[in-house]
Amino acid sequence: MGIYETLGVRPVINASGPVTRLSGNPMHPDVAAAMAEAAQLCVRIDDIQEAAGRYLAEISGAEAGYVTTGAAAGLALSAAAAIARFDVAAMDRLPDTAGLPNEIVIQRAHVTDYSHALRLPGAKLVEVGYVGYPGQGVTWPWDVESAITERTAALAFSIGSAKGIVSLAEMAAIAHRHDLPLIVDAAASLPPRENLRRFIAEGADLVTFSGGKMIGGPQASGLLLGRADLIESVALQQQDMDVYPETWPWRQRYLESGRLPGPPHHGIGRPMKVGKEEIVGLVVALRRFMTRDLEAERRDQQVQLELIIDALRDLPGVAPGLLDDSAAPRPYPTAIIRLDERRLERSAESIVNQLAEEDPPVAVSQNFLDRRALGLVATTLRPGEAEIVAARLKEVLSH
Ligand SMILES: *Cc1c(COP(=O)(O)O)cnc(C)c1O
């Protein structure tokens, strides 16, 4: 009996990509095997974090790297580092930021529901500008600059395709003129692989990526890349701090050197602790990611989507096709199935629900419901599942 069966839970055929509510990607056997091996031996978590951090720095060109429990945790830890820096008393007080600079300036077009994570250590978002282009709204560099005061702790930026925004490089220049760090949410911006280096090269001080999306790492993993001093602050606020000064493995680095008055206590990052299994799994997934033939994977995903499109092509009220992403490239091919709801006499949502609730449960992407369309992504499909998705869709859309 499979593990899910023993729990009475049905696995889902996931045609919607590595979304968290559907548990991310099926994991490559090499990554799963590395995690299983790591699970059987204890290590010092600082040692393995530092080793992983050196690897992350090497592949990104950042000064330092750190493994987090996900990109959202990376945002929270970044904000904590920007606010507390090396002040151990401040670290101990978060999320109480009374008397500390705690404002994070962000363009309104970049506020997402993940921005909530930035507020976790007590930061307050200061939103500037408008969404769009002149006549509808736009953000100018002076909008950003004029929001900076002595209460500002950082600037934040989300990678996406919003119009009329101040670019990452301009945001970095403004931040650095004021001696502030720029925190970048690049969670879903891989591939292309070049993005591991790009945002750092453009001036970001901290960049967070999801480990569980296209890298194919553990679902509860993420990368944080950036300036060495900020990553050190993250590490101090995230590690287990049940230590005596005399036996703390970092006593030389921080205490004997006089950099800290004593070891900090457990920080705001402690509830986001990372397991050895996640650290190892993320490194192994990244090593694979650096050499995987991503173009061949894309072609293979497209073949699977075309198989589904072909199966639906002649159905009345249904217009399937590949999404043209030439204007805003997506990390993977996507199919969209436009629905003529009047002709089908049912809503797109009811089809999403029927697919999800019947046997076997099939999840399609809901990212195109605003266009009255179902979305399909093949990155999370296992061999043979595209045929099942095609058959289920055909059946449900024919009635
Ligand atoms: C997925 C995502 C996140 C959260 O990433 P996790 O690794 O799941 O924590 C944050 N921001 C954006 C833009 C995302 O797409």
Side-chain angles (χ1 to χ4, degrees), residues 18 20 68-75 112 114-115 158-159 185-189 208-213 219-222:
T20 295
T68 65
T69 50
L75 293 175
T112 69
Y114 293 109
S115 308
S158 312
I159 305 295
D185 178 359
S189 301
T208 180
F209 290 100
S210 290
K213 289 177 182 159
Q219 170 59 7
S221 73

Side-chain angles (χ1 to χ4, degrees), residues 100-133:
L100 297 169
N102 73 336
E103 293 183 357
I104 298 184
V105 178
I106 186 167
Q107 300 180 68
R108 191 162 273 115
H110 278 184
V111 177
T112 69
D113 43 7
Y114 293 109
S115 308
H116 192 161
L118 288 167
R119 305 207 322 262
L120 190 64
K124 185 168 162 284
L125 296 184
V126 177
E127 298 176 24
V128 297
Y130 297 95
V131 180
Y133 43 87

